[in-house]
């Protein structure tokens, strides 16, 4: 049970639990920052005009590089093939 909850997914992307904690955490912090910039942009449109889209592009690039590093196949259009049923 603990293996499935904590270690299965990190292992599937070629990371230890600690590595995954840092990588996923850094993605989360970037996404929260970009989200806050988008909220400010909604109120004051001349601020943070490209912050959200630049963050998305950057994070997408990081994910693709990591997938290639560990050999995770992609679906047409670049989406990863999910090994877990929804």
């Amino acid at each position: 049970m603990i293996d499935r909850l904590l270690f299965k997914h990190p292992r599937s992307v070629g990371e230890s639990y600690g590595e995954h904690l840092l990588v996923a955490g850094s993605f989360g912090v970037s996404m929260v920052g970009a989200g806050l910039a988008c909220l400010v942009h909604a109120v004051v449109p001349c601020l943070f005009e490209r912050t959200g889209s630049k963050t998305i592009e950057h994070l997408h690039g990081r994910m693709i590089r990591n997938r290639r590093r560990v050999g995770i196949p992609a679906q047409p259009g670049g989406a990863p093939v999910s090994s877990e049923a929804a």
Side-chain angles (χ1 to χ4, degrees):
M1 175 79 146
I2 296 295
D3 182 70
R4 184 178 65 80
L5 289 173
L6 299 180
F7 304 112
K8 182 179 177 184
H9 172 67
R11 203 171 30 244
S12 76
V13 295
E15 297 170 345
S16 69
Y17 176 82
E19 289 169 330
H20 190 268
L21 177 69
L22 293 174
V23 171
S26 72
F27 269 69
V29 168
S30 294
M31 291 166 57
V32 168
L36 292 172
C38 288
L39 290 172
V40 171
H41 172 74
V43 176
V44 185
C46 68
L47 299 176
F48 305 111
E49 292 180 19
R50 298 252 320 128
T51 303
S53 57
K54 284 182 179 180
T55 301
I56 291 167
E57 289 170 0
H58 173 76
L59 293 176
H60 181 260
R62 282 180 58 194
M63 283 192 297
I64 295 302
R65 281 190 301 279
N66 188 53
R67 286 183 195 144
R68 288 182 181 146
R69 179 180 61 82
V70 298
I72 297 173
Q75 296 174 341
V81 175
S82 176
S83 62
E84 300 174 10

